[in-house]
Amino acid sequence: MFDINLLRNDLAATAEALLKRNTVIDVAAFEAMEAERKALQIQTQDLQQQRNTLSKAVGQAKAAKDEAKAQALLAEVAAVPEKVKANEAALALIQDRVNTLLMTIPNLPQASVPIGKDSDENVEQRRWSPDNKGPRSFAFAAKDHVALGEALTTTAGAQLDFEAGVKLSGARFTVMKGPLARMHRALAQFMLDTHVNEHGFTECYVPYIVNAESMTGTGQLPKFEEDLYKVPMPADDAIEGGAIKNRYLIPTAEVSLTNLVRDTMVPLDALPMRLTAHTPCFRSEAGSYGRDTRGMIRQHQFDKVEMVYISKPEESNAMLEEMTGNAEKILQKLGLPYRVMLLCTGDMGFTAARTYDLEVWLPAQNTYREISSCSNCEAFQARRMGARFKNAAGKNEPVHTLNGSGLAVGRTLVAVMENYQNQDGSITVPEVLRPYMGGLEVIR
RNA sequence: GGAAGCGUGGCCGAGCGGUUGAAGGCACCGGUCUUGAAAACCGGCGACGGGGCAACCCGUUCGUGAGUUCGAAUCUCACCGCUUCCGCCA
Protein backbone atom coordinates (compact mmCIF):
# COMPACT_ATOMS: atom_id res chain seq x y z
CA MET A 1 0.00 0.00 0.00
CA PHE A 2 1.21 3.42 -0.84
CA ASP A 3 2.39 5.48 2.12
CA ILE A 4 -0.29 8.14 2.57
CA ASN A 5 2.09 10.41 4.42
CA LEU A 6 4.06 10.94 1.23
CA LEU A 7 0.90 12.29 -0.38
CA ARG A 8 -0.06 14.39 2.61
CA ASN A 9 3.36 15.90 3.27
CA ASP A 10 4.85 16.19 -0.17
CA LEU A 11 2.06 15.88 -2.68
CA ALA A 12 3.60 17.70 -5.62
CA ALA A 13 6.93 15.86 -5.54
CA THR A 14 5.25 12.50 -4.97
CA ALA A 15 2.86 13.00 -7.86
CA GLU A 16 5.81 13.86 -10.05
CA ALA A 17 7.71 10.73 -9.00
CA LEU A 18 4.66 8.61 -9.78
CA LEU A 19 4.45 10.14 -13.21
CA LYS A 20 7.65 8.24 -14.02
CA ARG A 21 5.62 5.11 -13.45
CA ASN A 22 2.93 6.28 -15.83
CA THR A 23 0.65 6.91 -12.87
CA VAL A 24 -1.24 10.17 -12.79
CA ILE A 25 -2.40 11.55 -9.47
CA ASP A 26 -5.13 14.17 -9.60
CA VAL A 27 -3.55 16.54 -7.11
CA ALA A 28 -6.51 18.86 -6.72
CA ALA A 29 -8.95 16.00 -6.28
CA PHE A 30 -6.75 14.41 -3.66
CA GLU A 31 -6.42 17.65 -1.74
CA ALA A 32 -10.17 18.14 -1.79
CA MET A 33 -10.79 14.61 -0.61
CA GLU A 34 -8.25 14.95 2.18
CA ALA A 35 -9.75 18.24 3.33
CA GLU A 36 -13.18 16.64 3.45
CA ARG A 37 -11.87 13.62 5.31
CA LYS A 38 -10.08 15.78 7.84
CA ALA A 39 -13.09 17.95 8.58
CA LEU A 40 -15.38 14.96 8.91
CA GLN A 41 -12.98 13.06 11.11
CA ILE A 42 -12.51 15.94 13.50
CA GLN A 43 -16.26 16.50 13.71
CA THR A 44 -16.95 12.81 14.25
CA GLN A 45 -14.36 12.42 16.96
CA ASP A 46 -15.73 15.52 18.63
CA LEU A 47 -19.19 13.99 18.79
CA GLN A 48 -17.81 10.72 20.04
CA GLN A 49 -16.02 12.55 22.79
CA GLN A 50 -19.22 14.33 23.75
CA ARG A 51 -21.11 11.04 23.98
CA ASN A 52 -18.36 9.37 25.97
CA THR A 53 -18.05 12.18 28.46
CA LEU A 54 -21.77 12.46 29.08
CA SER A 55 -22.21 8.71 29.35
CA LYS A 56 -19.43 8.52 31.84
CA ALA A 57 -21.12 11.28 33.85
CA VAL A 58 -24.35 9.28 33.86
CA GLY A 59 -22.50 6.38 35.37
CA GLN A 60 -20.97 8.58 38.02
CA ALA A 61 -24.32 10.14 38.90
CA LYS A 62 -25.90 6.71 39.24
CA ALA A 63 -23.03 5.52 41.38
CA ALA A 64 -23.58 8.58 43.59
CA LYS A 65 -27.31 7.74 43.75
CA ASP A 66 -28.11 11.17 42.32
CA GLU A 67 -31.08 10.06 40.23
CA ALA A 68 -32.19 13.58 39.32
CA LYS A 69 -28.81 14.46 37.89
CA ALA A 70 -28.66 11.19 36.02
CA GLN A 71 -32.02 11.90 34.39
CA ALA A 72 -30.92 15.40 33.40
CA LEU A 73 -27.77 14.03 31.80
CA LEU A 74 -29.73 11.36 29.97
CA ALA A 75 -31.97 14.02 28.49
CA GLU A 76 -28.90 15.95 27.41
CA VAL A 77 -27.22 13.01 25.59
CA ALA A 78 -30.40 11.69 24.03
CA ALA A 79 -29.82 13.22 20.60
CA VAL A 80 -26.09 12.60 20.38
CA PRO A 81 -25.87 8.92 19.39
CA GLU A 82 -27.89 9.50 16.27
CA LYS A 83 -25.57 12.28 15.16
CA VAL A 84 -22.55 10.12 15.94
CA LYS A 85 -23.92 7.31 13.85
CA ALA A 86 -24.57 9.53 10.85
CA ASN A 87 -21.10 11.04 11.06
CA GLU A 88 -19.41 7.70 11.46
CA ALA A 89 -21.13 6.41 8.34
CA ALA A 90 -20.08 9.43 6.31
CA LEU A 91 -16.53 9.18 7.59
CA ALA A 92 -16.32 5.48 6.77
CA LEU A 93 -17.42 6.28 3.26
CA ILE A 94 -14.73 8.84 2.60
CA GLN A 95 -12.07 6.77 4.30
CA ASP A 96 -12.98 3.98 1.92
CA ARG A 97 -12.45 6.35 -0.96
CA VAL A 98 -9.03 7.37 0.34
CA ASN A 99 -8.14 3.77 0.94
CA THR A 100 -9.25 2.64 -2.49
CA LEU A 101 -7.06 5.29 -4.02
CA LEU A 102 -4.08 4.24 -1.92
CA MET A 103 -4.57 0.60 -2.87
CA THR A 104 -4.33 1.38 -6.56
CA ILE A 105 -1.19 3.53 -6.50
CA PRO A 106 1.98 1.60 -7.40
CA ASN A 107 5.12 1.60 -5.30
CA LEU A 108 7.60 4.44 -5.66
CA PRO A 109 10.73 3.46 -7.58
CA GLN A 110 14.10 3.86 -5.88
CA ALA A 111 16.01 6.96 -6.92
CA SER A 112 18.64 4.95 -8.79
CA VAL A 113 16.08 3.19 -11.00
CA PRO A 114 16.43 4.39 -14.60
CA ILE A 115 13.52 6.40 -15.91
CA GLY A 116 11.90 4.91 -18.96
CA LYS A 117 8.58 4.06 -20.51
CA ASP A 118 8.92 0.35 -21.34
CA SER A 119 11.23 -2.64 -21.53
CA ASP A 120 13.32 -1.03 -24.28
CA GLU A 121 14.75 1.28 -21.65
CA ASN A 122 15.80 -1.38 -19.15
CA VAL A 123 19.52 -1.26 -18.42
CA GLU A 124 21.73 -4.28 -18.82
CA GLN A 125 23.91 -4.92 -15.76
CA ARG A 126 25.99 -7.93 -16.82
CA ARG A 127 26.07 -11.04 -18.96
CA TRP A 128 27.18 -14.54 -18.22
CA SER A 129 27.92 -17.55 -20.36
CA PRO A 130 29.90 -20.76 -19.76
CA ASP A 131 33.61 -19.86 -19.71
CA ASN A 132 32.54 -16.43 -20.84
CA LYS A 133 32.51 -17.62 -24.47
CA GLY A 134 29.08 -16.28 -25.32
CA PRO A 135 26.09 -18.38 -26.32
CA ARG A 136 26.86 -21.60 -28.14
CA SER A 137 26.99 -21.33 -31.91
CA PHE A 138 25.21 -24.06 -33.79
CA ALA A 139 26.61 -25.92 -36.82
CA PHE A 140 23.03 -26.60 -37.84
CA ALA A 141 19.75 -24.68 -37.74
CA ALA A 142 18.71 -24.58 -34.09
CA LYS A 143 15.11 -25.70 -33.57
CA ASP A 144 12.76 -24.21 -31.03
CA HIS A 145 11.42 -26.24 -28.12
CA VAL A 146 8.12 -26.86 -29.88
CA ALA A 147 9.72 -28.57 -32.85
CA LEU A 148 12.07 -30.48 -30.56
CA GLY A 149 9.44 -31.53 -28.06
CA GLU A 150 6.90 -32.66 -30.64
CA ALA A 151 9.50 -34.73 -32.47
CA LEU A 152 10.61 -36.49 -29.31
CA THR A 153 8.11 -39.20 -28.53
CA THR A 154 7.06 -41.85 -26.08
CA THR A 155 4.74 -44.78 -26.63
CA ALA A 156 2.07 -42.40 -25.35
CA GLY A 157 2.83 -39.78 -27.97
CA ALA A 158 4.86 -36.55 -28.12
CA GLN A 159 6.95 -35.60 -25.09
CA LEU A 160 5.63 -32.06 -25.44
CA ASP A 161 1.99 -32.55 -26.38
CA PHE A 162 0.34 -29.24 -27.06
CA GLU A 163 -2.70 -30.75 -28.71
CA ALA A 164 -3.44 -32.81 -25.63
CA GLY A 165 -3.27 -29.64 -23.52
CA VAL A 166 -5.81 -27.96 -25.78
CA LYS A 167 -8.09 -30.98 -25.71
CA LEU A 168 -8.04 -31.26 -21.93
CA SER A 169 -8.19 -27.59 -21.02
CA GLY A 170 -7.81 -25.17 -23.90
CA ALA A 171 -5.15 -22.89 -25.30
CA ARG A 172 -2.01 -22.26 -23.24
CA PHE A 173 -2.02 -25.64 -21.53
CA THR A 174 0.57 -28.31 -22.26
CA VAL A 175 1.00 -31.98 -21.46
CA MET A 176 4.54 -33.28 -20.89
CA LYS A 177 5.40 -36.96 -21.09
CA GLY A 178 8.33 -39.29 -20.63
CA PRO A 179 11.88 -37.96 -20.21
CA LEU A 180 10.92 -34.31 -20.73
CA ALA A 181 8.28 -34.56 -18.00
CA ARG A 182 10.94 -36.07 -15.80
CA MET A 183 13.42 -33.32 -16.63
CA HIS A 184 10.78 -30.76 -15.74
CA ARG A 185 10.47 -32.41 -12.34
CA ALA A 186 14.24 -32.73 -12.05
CA LEU A 187 14.67 -29.01 -12.66
CA ALA A 188 12.30 -28.09 -9.83
CA GLN A 189 14.01 -30.52 -7.44
CA PHE A 190 17.43 -29.24 -8.40
CA MET A 191 16.44 -25.60 -7.86
CA LEU A 192 14.79 -26.29 -4.53
CA ASP A 193 17.73 -28.35 -3.30
CA THR A 194 20.20 -25.67 -4.32
CA HIS A 195 18.34 -22.91 -2.49
CA VAL A 196 17.90 -25.02 0.63
CA ASN A 197 21.38 -26.56 0.76
CA GLU A 198 23.49 -23.72 -0.57
CA HIS A 199 21.53 -20.51 -0.12
CA GLY A 200 20.10 -20.92 3.37
CA PHE A 201 16.40 -21.07 2.47
CA THR A 202 13.65 -22.76 4.41
CA GLU A 203 11.61 -25.02 2.16
CA CYS A 204 7.87 -24.52 2.43
CA TYR A 205 4.83 -26.35 1.17
CA VAL A 206 2.03 -23.84 0.77
CA PRO A 207 -1.61 -23.57 -0.33
CA TYR A 208 -2.29 -22.97 -4.02
CA ILE A 209 -5.70 -21.50 -3.23
CA VAL A 210 -5.73 -18.39 -1.06
CA ASN A 211 -8.27 -15.90 0.22
CA ALA A 212 -8.84 -12.29 -0.80
CA GLU A 213 -6.90 -10.97 2.19
CA SER A 214 -3.76 -12.71 1.00
CA MET A 215 -4.20 -11.46 -2.55
CA THR A 216 -4.70 -7.95 -1.20
CA GLY A 217 -1.64 -8.24 1.00
CA THR A 218 0.74 -8.85 -1.87
CA GLY A 219 -1.02 -6.43 -4.21
CA GLN A 220 -2.84 -8.64 -6.73
CA LEU A 221 -6.12 -7.27 -5.40
CA PRO A 222 -8.00 -5.06 -5.79
CA LYS A 223 -6.43 -3.84 -9.01
CA PHE A 224 -5.55 -7.00 -10.94
CA GLU A 225 -8.46 -9.34 -10.32
CA GLU A 226 -8.90 -10.08 -14.02
CA ASP A 227 -5.43 -11.69 -14.09
CA LEU A 228 -6.45 -14.26 -11.46
CA TYR A 229 -8.36 -17.50 -11.54
CA LYS A 230 -11.24 -17.29 -9.12
CA VAL A 231 -12.58 -20.16 -7.04
CA PRO A 232 -16.10 -19.33 -5.89
CA MET A 233 -16.94 -20.62 -2.45
CA PRO A 234 -19.84 -23.07 -2.05
CA ALA A 235 -23.04 -21.05 -2.06
CA ASP A 236 -24.03 -21.59 1.55
CA ASP A 237 -21.05 -20.17 3.35
CA ALA A 238 -19.88 -17.80 0.67
CA ILE A 239 -21.90 -14.80 1.68
CA GLU A 240 -20.22 -12.11 3.71
CA GLY A 241 -21.87 -8.74 3.93
CA GLY A 242 -23.99 -9.58 0.89
CA ALA A 243 -21.00 -10.28 -1.36
CA ILE A 244 -19.76 -13.61 -2.60
CA LYS A 245 -16.48 -14.42 -0.97
CA ASN A 246 -14.09 -15.86 -3.50
CA ARG A 247 -10.83 -17.63 -3.20
CA TYR A 248 -8.12 -17.47 -5.82
CA LEU A 249 -5.49 -19.68 -7.43
CA ILE A 250 -2.06 -18.26 -6.73
CA PRO A 251 -0.35 -16.61 -9.72
CA THR A 252 2.97 -17.12 -7.89
CA ALA A 253 4.11 -18.63 -4.60
CA GLU A 254 5.10 -15.10 -3.63
CA VAL A 255 1.52 -14.72 -2.46
CA SER A 256 1.55 -17.71 -0.13
CA LEU A 257 5.08 -17.21 1.16
CA THR A 258 4.91 -13.47 1.76
CA ASN A 259 1.53 -13.67 3.48
CA LEU A 260 3.03 -16.01 6.06
CA VAL A 261 4.04 -12.86 7.94
CA ARG A 262 0.75 -11.03 7.39
CA ASP A 263 -0.60 -9.59 10.66
CA THR A 264 2.45 -10.63 12.62
CA MET A 265 5.24 -9.12 14.64
CA VAL A 266 8.33 -10.79 13.24
CA PRO A 267 10.99 -11.34 15.92
CA LEU A 268 14.08 -9.27 15.20
CA ASP A 269 16.37 -12.30 15.35
CA ALA A 270 14.29 -14.08 12.69
CA LEU A 271 15.34 -11.48 10.11
CA PRO A 272 16.20 -11.92 7.37
CA MET A 273 13.85 -14.83 6.63
CA ARG A 274 14.60 -16.78 3.46
CA LEU A 275 11.60 -18.81 2.25
CA THR A 276 11.26 -20.95 -0.83
CA ALA A 277 8.57 -23.13 -2.35
CA HIS A 278 7.94 -25.02 -5.56
CA THR A 279 4.36 -24.50 -6.72
CA PRO A 280 2.26 -24.35 -9.81
CA CYS A 281 1.23 -20.84 -10.78
CA PHE A 282 -2.04 -19.91 -12.44
CA ARG A 283 -2.48 -16.85 -14.61
CA SER A 284 -5.45 -16.02 -16.77
CA GLU A 285 -3.17 -13.99 -19.08
CA ALA A 286 -6.03 -11.66 -19.85
CA GLY A 287 -4.91 -9.06 -22.31
CA SER A 288 -2.06 -11.09 -23.77
CA TYR A 289 -3.93 -12.63 -26.68
CA GLY A 290 -1.58 -13.23 -29.55
CA ARG A 291 1.62 -12.91 -27.49
CA ASP A 292 3.85 -16.00 -27.27
CA THR A 293 1.07 -18.24 -28.48
CA ARG A 294 3.55 -20.83 -29.69
CA GLY A 295 4.93 -23.27 -27.14
CA MET A 296 5.43 -23.20 -23.43
CA ILE A 297 6.61 -19.65 -22.89
CA ARG A 298 3.28 -18.21 -21.76
CA GLN A 299 0.94 -20.70 -20.10
CA HIS A 300 -2.11 -20.49 -17.88
CA GLN A 301 -0.45 -23.03 -15.58
CA PHE A 302 3.28 -23.31 -14.98
CA ASP A 303 5.63 -24.37 -12.23
CA LYS A 304 7.98 -22.03 -10.45
CA VAL A 305 10.42 -22.17 -7.56
CA GLU A 306 9.98 -18.95 -5.67
CA MET A 307 12.27 -17.13 -3.26
CA VAL A 308 10.91 -14.71 -0.66
CA TYR A 309 12.88 -12.59 1.76
CA ILE A 310 11.50 -10.89 4.86
CA SER A 311 14.11 -8.33 5.75
CA LYS A 312 15.04 -5.34 7.86
CA PRO A 313 14.73 -2.12 5.84
CA GLU A 314 18.44 -1.33 5.97
CA GLU A 315 19.31 -4.76 4.57
CA SER A 316 16.74 -5.11 1.83
CA ASN A 317 18.83 -3.84 -1.05
CA ALA A 318 21.70 -6.13 -0.08
CA MET A 319 19.17 -9.00 0.06
CA LEU A 320 17.97 -8.12 -3.44
CA GLU A 321 21.52 -8.53 -4.71
CA GLU A 322 21.84 -11.81 -2.84
CA MET A 323 18.55 -13.12 -4.19
CA THR A 324 19.41 -12.17 -7.76
CA GLY A 325 22.73 -13.94 -7.29
CA ASN A 326 20.88 -17.06 -6.11
CA ALA A 327 18.80 -17.12 -9.27
CA GLU A 328 21.91 -16.55 -11.39
CA LYS A 329 23.57 -19.46 -9.65
CA ILE A 330 20.89 -21.81 -10.94
CA LEU A 331 21.45 -20.67 -14.51
CA GLN A 332 25.21 -20.96 -14.08
CA LYS A 333 24.99 -24.50 -12.77
CA LEU A 334 22.80 -25.37 -15.73
CA GLY A 335 25.27 -23.70 -18.06
CA LEU A 336 22.63 -21.42 -19.57
CA PRO A 337 23.77 -18.03 -20.93
CA TYR A 338 21.87 -15.07 -19.51
CA ARG A 339 21.92 -11.37 -18.88
CA VAL A 340 20.76 -9.31 -15.92
CA MET A 341 18.56 -6.30 -16.57
CA LEU A 342 17.70 -3.48 -14.19
CA LEU A 343 14.11 -2.60 -15.01
CA CYS A 344 13.27 1.00 -15.79
CA THR A 345 10.43 2.81 -14.03
CA GLY A 346 7.91 2.09 -16.79
CA ASP A 347 8.48 -1.67 -16.84
CA MET A 348 8.38 -2.44 -13.12
CA GLY A 349 5.61 -4.35 -11.42
CA PHE A 350 3.00 -2.69 -9.23
CA THR A 351 4.60 -3.53 -5.88
CA ALA A 352 8.28 -3.16 -6.76
CA ALA A 353 10.67 -0.40 -5.81
CA ARG A 354 13.57 -2.03 -7.65
CA THR A 355 13.62 -5.05 -9.96
CA TYR A 356 16.21 -7.15 -11.73
CA ASP A 357 15.10 -9.45 -14.52
CA LEU A 358 17.18 -12.42 -15.55
CA GLU A 359 16.89 -13.17 -19.23
CA VAL A 360 18.05 -16.51 -20.59
CA TRP A 361 19.41 -17.06 -24.08
CA LEU A 362 17.03 -18.81 -26.45
CA PRO A 363 18.94 -19.75 -29.63
CA ALA A 364 15.87 -20.45 -31.74
CA GLN A 365 14.54 -16.97 -31.07
CA ASN A 366 18.06 -15.58 -31.19
CA THR A 367 17.27 -13.47 -28.17
CA TYR A 368 17.19 -13.28 -24.39
CA ARG A 369 13.86 -14.06 -22.68
CA GLU A 370 12.76 -13.38 -19.11
CA ILE A 371 13.20 -16.38 -16.83
CA SER A 372 13.31 -14.68 -13.44
CA SER A 373 12.24 -11.41 -11.89
CA CYS A 374 13.66 -10.33 -8.52
CA SER A 375 12.08 -7.40 -6.73
CA ASN A 376 12.52 -5.41 -3.58
CA CYS A 377 9.03 -4.28 -2.55
CA GLU A 378 10.38 -2.43 0.48
CA ALA A 379 7.51 -1.70 2.93
CA PHE A 380 4.81 -1.59 0.24
CA GLN A 381 3.40 -5.06 0.85
CA ALA A 382 4.23 -5.02 4.56
CA ARG A 383 2.08 -1.93 5.10
CA ARG A 384 -0.88 -3.65 3.46
CA MET A 385 -0.25 -6.85 5.37
CA GLY A 386 0.55 -5.49 8.80
CA ALA A 387 3.87 -7.31 8.79
CA ARG A 388 6.07 -5.59 11.32
CA PHE A 389 9.07 -5.95 13.57
CA LYS A 390 10.31 -4.02 16.59
CA ASN A 391 13.28 -1.97 15.46
CA ALA A 392 16.36 -1.12 17.53
CA ALA A 393 14.56 1.90 19.00
CA GLY A 394 11.70 -0.35 20.15
CA LYS A 395 9.26 1.10 17.61
CA ASN A 396 7.07 -1.06 15.41
CA GLU A 397 8.06 -0.73 11.81
CA PRO A 398 6.96 -2.49 8.62
CA VAL A 399 9.42 -5.13 7.40
CA HIS A 400 10.69 -5.12 3.86
CA THR A 401 9.60 -7.92 1.55
CA LEU A 402 11.35 -9.24 -1.52
CA ASN A 403 10.45 -11.92 -4.00
CA GLY A 404 12.05 -13.51 -7.00
CA SER A 405 11.82 -16.51 -9.25
CA GLY A 406 14.49 -19.05 -8.79
CA LEU A 407 13.44 -19.97 -11.49
CA ALA A 408 10.38 -20.38 -13.70
CA VAL A 409 10.56 -24.12 -14.31
CA GLY A 410 8.75 -24.36 -17.64
CA ARG A 411 10.84 -21.63 -19.23
CA THR A 412 13.98 -23.24 -17.84
CA LEU A 413 12.98 -26.48 -19.52
CA VAL A 414 12.55 -24.56 -22.76
CA ALA A 415 15.98 -23.00 -22.34
CA VAL A 416 17.67 -26.33 -21.60
CA MET A 417 16.01 -27.98 -24.60
CA GLU A 418 17.01 -25.25 -26.99
CA ASN A 419 20.54 -24.71 -25.70
CA TYR A 420 21.38 -28.40 -25.28
CA GLN A 421 19.86 -29.69 -28.52
CA ASN A 422 21.84 -31.89 -30.88
CA GLN A 423 21.64 -32.08 -34.64
CA ASP A 424 19.56 -35.29 -34.51
CA GLY A 425 16.95 -33.61 -32.32
CA SER A 426 18.09 -35.29 -29.12
CA ILE A 427 18.81 -33.23 -26.03
CA THR A 428 21.85 -33.61 -23.82
CA VAL A 429 20.93 -33.59 -20.13
CA PRO A 430 22.95 -30.98 -18.18
CA GLU A 431 25.38 -32.62 -15.72
CA VAL A 432 23.67 -31.20 -12.62
CA LEU A 433 20.33 -32.75 -13.56
CA ARG A 434 21.59 -36.28 -14.21
CA PRO A 435 21.47 -37.37 -10.55
CA TYR A 436 17.79 -36.39 -10.60
CA MET A 437 17.15 -38.43 -13.75
CA GLY A 438 18.62 -41.78 -12.90
CA GLY A 439 21.86 -40.90 -14.67
CA LEU A 440 20.20 -40.27 -18.03
CA GLU A 441 22.61 -38.39 -20.32
CA VAL A 442 20.60 -37.80 -23.47
CA ILE A 443 16.90 -37.45 -24.10
CA ARG A 444 15.78 -38.98 -27.36
C1' G B 1 -22.07 -33.81 8.96
C1' G B 2 -23.79 -34.13 14.75
C1' A B 3 -22.56 -32.48 20.12
C1' A B 4 -20.04 -29.38 23.64
C1' G B 5 -16.57 -25.62 24.89
C1' C B 6 -13.39 -21.45 23.72
C1' G B 7 -11.32 -16.80 21.03
C1' U B 8 -8.77 -10.49 25.81
C1' G B 9 -2.17 -6.70 24.72
C1' G B 10 4.61 -9.64 22.22
C1' C B 11 3.07 -14.20 25.36
C1' C B 12 0.04 -16.37 29.57
C1' G B 13 -4.28 -14.92 32.06
C1' A B 14 -8.44 -12.09 35.20
C1' G B 15 -12.69 -9.33 34.20
C1' C B 16 -18.83 -10.85 32.26
C1' G B 17 -23.45 -3.33 31.61
C1' G B 18 -20.88 2.24 34.02
C1' U B 19 -14.48 6.80 36.22
C1' U B 20 -11.72 -0.66 32.38
C1' G B 21 -7.13 0.37 27.79
C1' A B 22 -8.50 -3.51 30.62
C1' A B 23 -6.03 -6.88 37.44
C1' G B 24 -1.94 -10.30 37.96
C1' G B 25 2.23 -12.77 35.79
C1' C B 26 6.09 -13.51 31.93
C1' A B 27 9.02 -10.95 28.43
C1' C B 28 11.20 -6.18 27.50
C1' C B 29 13.50 -1.18 28.97
C1' G B 30 15.59 2.10 32.92
C1' G B 31 17.41 2.45 38.10
C1' U B 32 19.22 0.64 43.13
C1' C B 33 22.34 -3.23 44.99
C1' U B 34 26.98 -6.12 43.17
C1' U B 35 34.09 -6.55 41.43
C1' G B 36 30.78 -8.43 37.31
C1' A B 37 26.49 -11.30 36.47
C1' A B 38 22.25 -13.51 38.67
C1' A B 39 18.64 -12.80 42.43
C1' A B 40 15.93 -9.13 45.08
C1' C B 41 13.73 -4.34 45.15
C1' C B 42 11.89 0.47 42.73
C1' G B 43 10.01 2.62 38.22
C1' G B 44 8.44 2.34 33.04
C1' C B 45 6.04 -0.40 29.21
C1' G B 46 -0.12 -2.22 23.86
C1' A B 47 -1.51 -1.01 18.85
C1' C B 48 -3.63 1.97 15.12
C1' G B 49 -5.56 6.72 13.67
C1' G B 50 -6.60 12.21 14.16
C1' G B 51 -5.35 17.33 15.92
C1' G B 52 -1.18 20.50 17.64
C1' C B 53 5.38 23.82 16.45
C1' A B 54 5.40 21.38 21.09
C1' A B 55 4.14 19.81 26.11
C1' C B 56 -0.06 17.34 25.23
C1' C B 57 -5.17 16.32 23.89
C1' C B 58 -8.76 13.23 21.43
C1' G B 59 -10.76 8.89 18.86
C1' U B 60 -10.74 3.67 17.71
C1' U B 61 -9.36 -1.13 19.34
C1' C B 62 -10.88 -7.33 23.93
C1' G B 63 -11.71 -12.96 16.65
C1' U B 64 -14.95 -10.25 12.49
C1' G B 65 -19.55 -7.82 11.27
C1' A B 66 -24.37 -6.22 12.64
C1' G B 67 -27.75 -5.09 16.81
C1' U B 68 -29.74 -3.59 22.00
C1' U B 69 -28.30 0.73 25.35
C1' C B 70 -27.16 7.34 27.36
C1' G B 71 -23.01 3.76 27.95
C1' A B 72 -20.72 -2.99 25.65
C1' A B 73 -14.63 -6.86 26.65
C1' U B 74 -19.28 -7.82 29.39
C1' C B 75 -26.13 -8.73 26.56
C1' U B 76 -28.39 -10.56 21.36
C1' C B 77 -27.65 -12.40 16.29
C1' A B 78 -24.65 -13.91 12.14
C1' C B 79 -19.98 -15.23 10.37
C1' C B 80 -14.71 -16.81 10.89
C1' G B 81 -11.20 -19.64 13.59
C1' C B 82 -9.54 -23.07 17.47
C1' U B 83 -10.15 -27.37 21.03
C1' U B 84 -12.56 -32.02 22.54
C1' C B 85 -15.96 -36.17 21.47
C1' C B 86 -18.82 -38.93 17.50
C1' G B 87 -19.33 -39.97 12.11
C1' C B 88 -16.80 -39.97 7.31
C1' C B 89 -12.27 -39.84 4.63
C1' A B 90 -6.54 -39.56 0.99
Side-chain angles (χ1 to χ4, degrees), chain A residues 223-299:
Chain A
K223 214 178 174 184
F224 306 103
E225 184 162 19
E226 69 278 7
D227 297 336
L228 301 172
Y229 281 107
K230 226 179 283 187
V231 183
M233 295 287 287
D236 280 350
D237 51 39
I239 310 298
E240 188 177 275
I244 302 287
K245 201 179 165 194
N246 290 305
R247 287 183 187 163
Y248 302 85
L249 295 177
I250 56 170
T252 157
E254 166 202 346
V255 176
S256 301
L257 290 174
T258 308
N259 274 283
L260 287 173
V261 295
R262 172 155 57 83
D263 295 321
T264 60
M265 285 289 271
V266 183
L268 190 61
D269 59 15
L271 299 174
M273 286 172 71
R274 295 176 179 85
L275 306 170
T276 186
H278 163 221
T279 72
C281 304
F282 303 93
R283 299 187 182 177
S284 75
E285 295 293 342
S288 62
Y289 305 108
R291 287 181 64 197
D292 304 312
T293 47
R294 185 176 164 82
M296 284 182 55
I297 294 292
R298 190 173 301 276
Q299 300 274 287

Side-chain angles (χ1 to χ4, degrees), chain A residues 137-416:
Chain A
S137 55
F138 288 83
F140 53 93
K143 297 184 182 112
D144 76 358
H145 70 283
V146 178
L148 290 164
E150 287 182 329
L152 291 165
T153 55
T154 70
T155 52
Q159 292 192 27
L160 286 191
D161 193 340
F162 297 100
E163 283 174 33
V166 170
K167 179 172 77 179
L168 296 182
S169 306
R172 297 193 192 280
F173 287 93
T174 303
V175 174
M176 290 178 265
K177 297 172 204 158
L180 281 182
R182 186 173 190 181
M183 186 153 78
H184 184 263
R185 174 162 56 94
L187 280 166
Q189 301 294 324
F190 159 69
M191 292 174 192
L192 212 44
D193 283 349
T194 303
H195 293 317
V196 170
N197 297 331
E198 298 175 26
H199 300 152
F201 279 77
T202 302
E203 178 174 352
C204 301
Y205 173 85
V206 295
Y208 306 155
I209 300 176
V210 301
N211 56 29
E213 287 75 18
S214 295
M215 284 298 182
T216 306
T218 32
Q220 283 74 21
L221 291 178
K223 214 178 174 184
F224 306 103
E225 184 162 19
E226 69 278 7
D227 297 336
L228 301 172
Y229 281 107
K230 226 179 283 187
V231 183
M233 295 287 287
D236 280 350
D237 51 39
I239 310 298
E240 188 177 275
I244 302 287
K245 201 179 165 194
N246 290 305
R247 287 183 187 163
Y248 302 85
L249 295 177
I250 56 170
T252 157
E254 166 202 346
V255 176
S256 301
L257 290 174
T258 308
N259 274 283
L260 287 173
V261 295
R262 172 155 57 83
D263 295 321
T264 60
M265 285 289 271
V266 183
L268 190 61
D269 59 15
L271 299 174
M273 286 172 71
R274 295 176 179 85
L275 306 170
T276 186
H278 163 221
T279 72
C281 304
F282 303 93
R283 299 187 182 177
S284 75
E285 295 293 342
S288 62
Y289 305 108
R291 287 181 64 197
D292 304 312
T293 47
R294 185 176 164 82
M296 284 182 55
I297 294 292
R298 190 173 301 276
Q299 300 274 287
H300 288 309
Q301 172 186 320
F302 63 94
D303 276 29
K304 184 155 60 71
V305 172
E306 182 75 0
M307 297 178 282
V308 161
Y309 281 75
I310 310 297
S311 141
K312 285 184 257 186
E314 63 269 27
E315 285 177 349
S316 66
N317 272 334
M319 292 303 114
L320 178 62
E321 300 299 325
E322 180 187 303
M323 177 167 59
T324 308
N326 294 340
E328 289 179 67
K329 196 75 194 181
I330 301 291
L331 287 168
Q332 290 170 11
K333 281 173 182 268
L334 288 168
L336 295 170
Y338 66 88
R339 61 178 188 178
V340 180
M341 307 295 286
L342 173 60
L343 296 200
C344 72
T345 52
D347 199 32
M348 289 197 316
F350 182 70
T351 58
R354 182 183 189 82
T355 299
Y356 293 113
D357 271 10
L358 266 53
E359 297 180 346
V360 70
W361 176 253
L362 293 186
Q365 294 187 16
N366 198 37
T367 187
Y368 288 95
R369 285 302 303 259
E370 179 187 339
I371 197 166
S372 170
S373 189
C374 299
S375 297
N376 182 0
C377 299
E378 297 184 341
F380 190 83
Q381 293 178 322
R383 259 193 306 274
R384 294 174 163 240
M385 290 193 304
R388 299 165 300 164
F389 75 107
K390 245 183 224 314
N391 65 22
K395 287 297 288 179
N396 296 339
E397 192 182 340
V399 296
H400 279 194
T401 61
L402 302 87
N403 63 78
S405 358
L407 309 162
V409 180
R411 286 189 182 183
T412 308
L413 180 74
V414 167
V416 169

